[in-house]
């Protein structure tokens, strides 16, 4: 293994202990067959610019545009394959479906970060969709990962092991990557609940995924790079109905950017879900199914489609701050207008039995409980979704309860029947104001959502405070 032979200046303290690998290598306990299972290559002769004829690209549009930028939605589970050495003569180094394998961007630099030790920064502007680098290291097994974590905890050392969960034909495919001793520059990238990079598993010449990090927005020169170590959207977990994740709503066939709900089958009411400025238009207190357009929709429903709001990600300017008596909370640096989408409440989607088991365990340990119960009423029958962001979640987990909230929870479906719990501003919100939503319901019945917990005193201190947080009991 080469000792730190790359284009970057690594800290001198690590030069004797860290071996450099440009991409993943097999480690203890991994499935070696995955490294030696070679995907069937294409036989293209046209540089693979047409996905209809390139068997390495399984969607209707190419994985990358002519400028090498990732073209698919960042929030969907789709297998991405790049062309490789077993492909036809047309798939050479200039093939448009070879991006990650060409290596990381230039201009990345490791710098000290107050309170975080080290971080990775960019000297140059990076455009949205651009590949930045991999998170590479040893691919190890579950038993080895648990042993390493115990040893690192005992020694007070940092843990860099990343768990990548993909869902193939409803079954989870788990890859564990440890860059502690053998890794690349990606190991220096810190976590953020509002990241500028997104993790996309990409396979190149084997069935082991390259954990490719792409810019999910434009990134300014001198900005620190970061990605979410968990998930920015709901993930299936123990006890959930996996069929909901793989049941795809029928897409529309619009050719007019879906601005007319009468002709867009994704919008079932007389007026569009969102106005021209992207603000939610329906009444906040009604139970109506909201569907956004998605990848199965017609050619008119592209990224500029007016019915794509939640999937574009959270607002900028959200910040986590300490709140006296409440630990942490989420605040906004900027004014937010009524109807504006703010962020999701995302995490693991679990079953009722698993939720009750987790609550008992958290109560026993005196830990906080973040499980949200979303109740929708479809044809008079309740549809229940349980979301736990405790271990895998997004920035929404920091939002506190209020009996007089400034956010309202709207279930929105995008490309599957699992709801995205979207939080919209139900009134104008001032800059520096704390964000909050009602964990239960502001009307009774039916409830729109409840945090599963015992009766706990409410600390919102509003005039309409009920005295307690919502409870199932």
């Amino acid at each position: 293994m080469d000792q730190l032979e790359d284009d970057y200046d690594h800290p001198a303290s690590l030069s004797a202990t860290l071996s450099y690998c440009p991409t993943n290598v097999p480690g203890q306990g991994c499935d070696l067959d995955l490294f030696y299972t070679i995907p069937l290559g294409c036989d293209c002769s046209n540089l693979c610019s047409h996905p209809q004829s390139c068997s390495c690209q399984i969607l209707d549009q190419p994985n990358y545009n002519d400028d090498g930028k990732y073209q698919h939605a960042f929030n969907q589970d789709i297998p991405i394959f790049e062309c490789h050495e077993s492909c036809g003569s047309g798939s050479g180094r200039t093939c448009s479906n070879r991006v990650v394998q060409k290596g990381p961007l230039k201009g990345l630099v490791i710098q000290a970060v107050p309170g975080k030790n080290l971080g990775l920064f960019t000297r140059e502007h990076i455009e949205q969709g651009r590949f930045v680098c991999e998170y590479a290291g040893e691919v190890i097994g579950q038993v080895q990962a648990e042993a390493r974590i115990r040893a690192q905890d005992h020694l007070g050392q940092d843990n860099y092991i990343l768990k990548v969960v993909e869902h193939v034909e409803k079954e989870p495919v788990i890859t564990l990557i440890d860059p502690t001793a053998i890794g690349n520059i990606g190991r220096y990238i810190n976590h953020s609940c509002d990241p500028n990079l997104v993790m996309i598993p990409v396979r190149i010449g084997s069935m082991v995924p390259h954990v490719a990090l792409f810019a999910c927005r434009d990134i300014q020169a001198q900005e620190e790079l970061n990605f979410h170590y968990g998930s920015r959207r709901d993930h299936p977990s123990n006890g959930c109905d996996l069929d909901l994740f793989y049941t795809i709503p029928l897409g529309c066939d619009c050719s007019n950017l879906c601005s007319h709900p009468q002709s867009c089958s994704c919008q079932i009411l007389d007026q569009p879900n969102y106005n021209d400025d992207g603000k939610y238009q329906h009444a906040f207190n009604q139970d109506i199914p909201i569907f956004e357009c998605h990848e199965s929709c017609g050619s008119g429903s592209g990224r500029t489609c007016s019915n794509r709001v939640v999937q574009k990600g959270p607002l900028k300017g959200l910040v986590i701050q300490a709140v006296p008596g409440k630990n942490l909370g989420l605040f906004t640096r900027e004014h937010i207008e009524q109807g504006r989408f703010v962020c999701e409440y995302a995490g693991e989607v679990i079953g009722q039995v698993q939720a009750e088991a987790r609550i008992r365990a958290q109560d026993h340990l005196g830990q906080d409980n973040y499980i949200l119960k979303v109740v929708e009423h479809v044809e008079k029958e309740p549809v229940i979704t349980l979301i736990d962001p405790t271990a895998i979640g997004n920035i929404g987990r920091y939002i506190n309860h209020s009996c007089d909230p400034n956010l309202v929870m709207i279930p929105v479906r995008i490309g599957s029947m699992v709801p995205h719990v979207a939080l919209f501003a139900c009134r104008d919100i001032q800059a520096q104001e704390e964000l909050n939503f009602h964990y239960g319901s502001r009307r009774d019945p039916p409830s729109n959502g409840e945090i599963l917990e015992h009766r706990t005193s409410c600390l919102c201190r509003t005039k309409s405070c009920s005295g307690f947080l919502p409870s199932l009991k």
Side-chain angles (χ1 to χ4, degrees):
M1 185 70 60
D2 294 332
Q3 287 293 113
L4 299 176
E5 293 184 0
D6 62 6
D7 296 330
Y8 305 100
D9 295 325
H10 295 258
S13 60
L14 295 176
S15 61
T17 59
L18 175 63
S19 295
Y20 172 73
C21 63
T23 191
N24 292 328
V25 298
Q28 290 178 296
C30 76
D31 185 353
L32 282 173
D33 286 342
L34 295 177
F35 279 87
Y36 299 103
T37 301
I38 301 174
L40 184 65
C42 67
D43 56 1
C44 297
S45 58
N46 61 359
L47 300 182
C48 308
S49 57
H50 301 292
Q52 292 80 2
S53 59
C54 177
S55 59
C56 294
Q57 305 186 70
I58 62 175
L59 297 181
D60 290 337
Q61 65 176 351
N63 293 329
Y64 311 108
N65 66 15
D66 293 339
D67 197 27
K69 296 176 188 173
Y70 186 77
Q71 292 205 113
H72 306 306
F74 292 126
N75 63 349
Q76 59 183 0
D77 279 319
I78 51 173
I80 300 296
F81 291 83
E82 288 195 0
C83 296
H84 52 90
E85 298 308 313
S86 297
C87 293
S89 59
S91 176
R93 294 295 294 171
T94 56
C95 163
S96 61
N97 193 36
R98 294 181 182 238
V99 170
V100 174
Q101 60 196 272
K102 292 181 179 179
L105 275 184
K106 305 300 180 185
L108 307 180
V109 59
I110 303 161
Q111 294 179 2
V113 180
K116 298 182 185 177
N117 198 355
L118 299 172
L120 190 63
F121 292 74
T122 174
R123 290 194 180 101
E124 302 173 3
H125 178 266
I126 302 174
E127 296 175 310
Q128 179 176 328
R130 184 74 65 196
F131 171 64
V132 176
C133 70
E134 291 187 44
Y135 190 94
E138 292 181 272
V139 178
I140 59 177
Q142 181 70 33
V143 173
Q144 181 64 22
E146 293 172 357
R148 292 187 183 187
I149 291 171
R150 286 194 299 269
Q152 289 163 335
D153 285 346
H154 179 71
L155 297 172
Q157 296 175 340
D158 292 332
N159 162 39
Y160 297 93
I161 297 174
L162 182 69
K163 182 178 182 179
V164 181
V165 183
E166 302 171 272
H167 296 271
V168 179
E169 295 180 354
K170 302 183 183 180
E171 293 298 322
V173 175
I174 296 173
T175 307
L176 295 162
I177 300 171
D178 185 5
T180 305
I182 302 173
N184 75 332
I185 198 170
R187 74 191 297 277
Y188 300 106
I189 302 177
N190 289 309
H191 165 86
S192 175
C193 294
D194 186 18
N196 49 29
L197 301 178
V198 66
M199 179 175 61
I200 305 290
V202 176
R203 286 168 172 79
I204 311 166
S206 84
M207 294 307 293
V208 177
H210 295 240
V211 179
L213 297 168
F214 291 83
C216 56
R217 62 168 173 81
D218 284 357
I219 304 173
Q220 303 305 311
Q222 313 307 321
E223 187 175 345
E224 184 183 1
L225 302 174
N226 45 61
F227 73 100
H228 199 294
Y229 290 174
S231 173
R232 297 182 66 194
R233 60 192 184 89
D234 296 331
H235 259 245
S237 192
N238 293 359
C240 76
D241 185 353
L242 281 174
D243 285 340
L244 295 177
F245 279 86
Y246 298 99
T247 301
I248 301 175
L250 184 66
C252 67
D253 57 0
C254 297
S255 58
N256 60 1
L257 300 183
C258 307
S259 56
H260 301 292
Q262 292 80 3
S263 59
C264 178
S265 59
C266 294
Q267 305 186 71
I268 61 176
L269 298 182
D270 291 337
Q271 65 176 351
N273 293 329
Y274 310 109
N275 67 14
D276 293 339
D277 197 27
K279 296 176 188 172
Y280 186 77
Q281 294 205 114
H282 306 306
F284 291 127
N285 63 349
Q286 59 183 354
D287 278 320
I288 51 172
I290 300 297
F291 291 83
E292 287 195 0
C293 296
H294 52 90
E295 296 306 312
S296 297
C297 293
S299 59
S301 176
R303 294 294 292 171
T304 56
C305 163
S306 60
N307 192 36
R308 294 181 183 236
V309 170
V310 173
Q311 61 196 269
K312 292 182 179 178
L315 271 186
K316 306 303 178 187
L318 306 181
V319 60
I320 302 163
Q321 294 180 4
V323 180
K326 298 182 186 178
N327 198 355
L328 298 173
L330 190 63
F331 292 73
T332 174
R333 289 195 181 102
E334 302 173 3
H335 178 265
I336 302 174
E337 296 175 309
Q338 179 176 329
R340 184 74 65 197
F341 170 64
V342 176
C343 69
E344 290 187 45
Y345 192 93
E348 293 180 272
V349 178
I350 59 177
Q352 182 71 31
V353 173
Q354 180 66 20
E356 293 171 357
R358 292 187 182 186
I359 292 168
R360 287 194 297 269
Q362 289 163 336
D363 285 348
H364 178 71
L365 296 172
Q367 297 175 339
D368 292 332
N369 160 42
Y370 298 93
I371 298 174
L372 181 72
K373 181 177 182 180
V374 182
V375 182
E376 302 171 272
H377 295 269
V378 179
E379 296 180 354
K380 300 182 181 180
E381 293 297 323
V383 175
I384 296 173
T385 306
L386 296 161
I387 299 172
D388 185 4
T390 305
I392 302 175
N394 75 331
I395 199 170
R397 74 192 296 275
Y398 298 102
I399 302 177
N400 288 309
H401 164 86
S402 175
C403 296
D404 185 17
N406 50 28
L407 301 179
V408 65
M409 179 176 60
I410 305 291
V412 177
R413 285 168 172 78
I414 310 167
S416 84
M417 293 307 293
V418 177
H420 294 240
V421 179
L423 297 168
F424 290 84
C426 55
R427 62 168 172 81
D428 284 358
I429 304 173
Q430 303 305 310
Q432 313 308 322
E433 186 175 345
E434 183 183 1
L435 302 173
N436 44 62
F437 73 100
H438 199 292
Y439 288 176
S441 174
R442 299 182 67 192
R443 57 198 182 88
D444 182 45
S447 73
N448 193 30
E450 296 169 277
I451 292 286
L452 288 162
E453 60 189 339
H454 298 307
R455 297 294 280 177
T456 303
S457 295
C458 179
L459 302 175
C460 74
R461 299 184 178 89
T462 61
K463 292 181 180 179
S464 58
C465 181
S466 65
F468 293 94
L469 294 181
S471 173
L472 289 184
K473 297 184 182 294

